[in-house]
Amino acid sequence: MPDAEKRRFAEALAHWAEDVALIRARERAEAIAQAENQAKVRLADAFHISDLSKHHGAKLRQK
């Protein structure tokens, strides 16, 4: 394989690797955001089910 062709192949491979890394980083960020949102929902659900919610609501109603 001629040197020019090797260089073009190496450049194309490097660009491909960068694109794959960007896609994976984007997917990780989306997965983290989804997990954080799910955790918030679970915490909110747990709070509303708990006695803390009733106690907090009673305090607000007293004001």
Side-chain angles (χ1 to χ4, degrees), residues 1 8 15 22-23 34 53-54 63:
M1 183 182 290
R8 283 193 306 272
H15 286 287
L22 288 172
I23 291 167
Q34 287 178 351
S53 174
K54 295 170 191 162
K63 288 185 177 182

Side-chain angles (χ1 to χ4, degrees), residues 16-56:
W16 175 82
E18 289 174 9
D19 290 343
V20 169
L22 288 172
I23 291 167
R24 287 182 177 162
R26 189 177 311 126
E27 288 175 347
R28 277 192 303 272
E30 290 171 0
I32 290 168
Q34 287 178 351
E36 288 173 345
N37 285 335
Q38 290 172 353
K40 288 177 186 177
V41 169
R42 284 193 301 271
L43 286 172
D45 289 346
F47 175 76
H48 290 297
I49 292 170
S50 73
D51 289 333
L52 291 173
S53 174
K54 295 170 191 162
H55 178 72
H56 183 68

